[in-house]
Amino acid sequence: EDLGKICLDVAEKITQSKFGFLGDINHDRLTDIAISNPGWEACNISDPSGHGRQPAGIKIHGIYGRVILDGKSVFTNNPASHPDSIGVPEDHPPLTSFLGVPLISEGDVIGLLAVGNRQGGYSPADQETLETLAPSIVQAFKSKRAEDALQALNADLEKRVEQRTFELQEAQQQYINEKK
């Protein structure tokens, strides 16, 4: 989540967006990794302490769903009139502009980087900027996940070595006791 917030902050700053969202796809659902603080604070849908922890995630549909399903970036400066628009949920902040970029790994869409409400809207240059940033975000998450997996394996190995050392010490003590 911390890495996601850093990545999202960079995306918001370089696109001059008011808020953003970074999510990954898990069993055909979109699960949030990070939601920018201005966006989350403006959203009265639910308690921010629960974000990222919905067991089912968010249904993939609407404009952001188009990004994920097609694996192509989408920007619109009038989201309400976009053909894929489903509107925004009640108590969601108004969406005046949207730019979404798929996160792609090994040819598969694995997530979404989306920003919103840039003053004056988005342009093809903003889209290109986020498309250039997206592979770095994917690599950062792959590296972080590999690091976490390595730490877990090291912890497991240390436990096994500790257990085996204990077993060998017990066997040695038993052998010494039998020799007496």
Side-chain angles (χ1 to χ4, degrees):
E1 190 173 337
D2 290 339
L3 177 58
K5 287 179 182 178
I6 292 167
C7 293
L8 191 55
D9 186 54
V10 169
E12 289 172 9
K13 284 181 179 169
I14 64 174
T15 60
Q16 301 171 356
S17 299
K18 299 289 183 204
F19 54 81
F21 174 87
L22 182 63
D24 66 355
I25 300 171
N26 187 1
H27 304 326
D28 297 326
R29 302 294 251 184
L30 185 63
T31 303
D32 62 282
I33 295 171
I35 299 175
S36 63
N37 282 337
W40 192 256
E41 288 170 1
C43 183
N44 298 317
I45 293 173
S46 63
D47 181 1
S49 66
H51 96 87
R53 290 158 188 81
Q54 311 101 315
I58 304 166
K59 182 178 176 185
I60 297 175
H61 63 303
I63 300 171
Y64 67 87
R66 178 61 41 220
V67 174
I68 293 167
L69 296 172
D70 291 350
K72 295 180 182 174
S73 302
V74 171
F75 80 88
T76 177
N77 294 318
N78 189 355
S81 68
H82 190 276
D84 291 305
S85 178
I86 56 171
V88 293
E90 188 177 333
D91 294 328
H92 188 283
L95 192 58
T96 59
S97 57
F98 170 88
L99 170 56
V101 174
L103 299 177
I104 299 173
S105 176
E106 300 173 13
D108 295 325
V109 177
I110 61 166
L112 168 76
L113 171 61
V115 290
N117 291 9
R118 178 177 193 241
Q119 180 102 18
Y122 296 103
S123 70
D126 298 312
Q127 178 178 329
E128 186 177 329
T129 298
L130 275 195
E131 288 173 345
T132 302
L133 178 63
S136 297
I137 292 173
V138 170
Q139 187 58 48
F141 276 97
K142 281 181 152 183
S143 295
K144 178 64 174 148
R145 288 177 177 149
E147 178 186 319
D148 290 348
L150 182 58
Q151 286 177 350
L153 287 171
N154 282 337
D156 183 56
L157 183 59
E158 285 178 22
K159 275 185 176 179
R160 289 179 181 204
V161 167
E162 195 175 287
Q163 179 63 31
R164 185 66 178 141
T165 301
F166 176 76
E167 290 169 0
L168 290 171
Q169 287 172 340
E170 278 189 334
Q172 183 181 25
Q173 188 62 45
Q174 185 178 6
Y175 177 75
I176 291 170
N177 289 341
E178 288 175 359
K179 281 281 218 174
K180 289 181 182 178

